[in-house]
Amino acid sequence: MIKAVSEAESYDGPSLIIAYAPCINHGIKAGMSKSIEQEKKAVDAGYWHLYRHNPLLAQQGKTPFVLDSKEPKDDFIEFLRSETRYTSLELEFPAEAKELFKKAESESKQRYKGYKALSEQK
């Protein structure tokens, strides 16, 4: 995060930082005091991908898109179940939730592949 903020600040133009920041409405089952751990779980499960786009890198002959996330290693659906907003959907509409969870996992994997390809372009 520090690197992203530093790069955004040093760029002579508009900068945008989009962050995953759990709030009380997410219903983190471990409690809001564990929000930093929840953010790490989101990245490790592939729910949230960490990347930066720095146009200044292109001037140095480098790829401006930098993927900071590693390949997701944790269970995506287990991560979803760590937040009440998703488990309440699962309790109320189990069949729909199962389908939506799988779709969200699949789309997250596709996004990661796309980001990986962008980060490897010369």
Side-chain angles (χ1 to χ4, degrees):
M1 196 230 25
I2 301 293
K3 191 165 197 162
V5 171
S6 296
E7 286 181 357
E9 186 177 52
S10 70
Y11 184 67
D12 186 25
S15 298
L16 176 66
I17 297 174
I18 302 171
Y20 174 73
C23 71
I24 198 158
N25 290 331
H26 289 182
I28 300 170
K29 291 186 176 182
M32 283 303 295
S33 66
K34 301 291 185 187
S35 63
I36 293 173
E37 290 90 340
Q38 188 71 0
E39 292 164 6
K40 182 175 179 351
K41 286 180 184 179
V43 172
D44 290 345
Y47 179 84
W48 189 262
H49 305 293
L50 301 177
Y51 57 88
R52 296 172 282 121
H53 185 273
N54 183 351
L56 299 175
L57 292 175
Q59 296 171 2
Q60 301 169 18
K62 298 178 183 175
T63 302
F65 186 89
V66 179
L67 179 62
D68 293 318
S69 291
K70 304 289 185 238
E71 183 99 26
K73 62 180 189 247
D74 289 349
D75 187 279
F76 186 90
I77 294 174
E78 183 181 314
F79 169 77
L80 294 180
R81 289 182 175 140
S82 71
E83 295 188 2
T84 306
R85 61 184 172 155
Y86 295 117
T87 54
S88 60
L89 174 67
E90 193 172 37
L91 288 171
E92 189 73 26
F93 304 102
E96 292 87 346
K98 183 177 181 178
E99 182 180 328
L100 291 170
F101 288 5
K102 285 291 183 191
K103 183 176 181 186
E105 181 177 31
S106 173
E107 289 176 359
S108 178
K109 288 177 181 178
Q110 286 301 108
R111 265 192 316 280
Y112 182 82
K113 286 179 187 176
Y115 293 155
K116 182 101 172 129
L118 279 173
S119 72
E120 294 170 347
Q121 288 181 354
K122 300 276 177 185

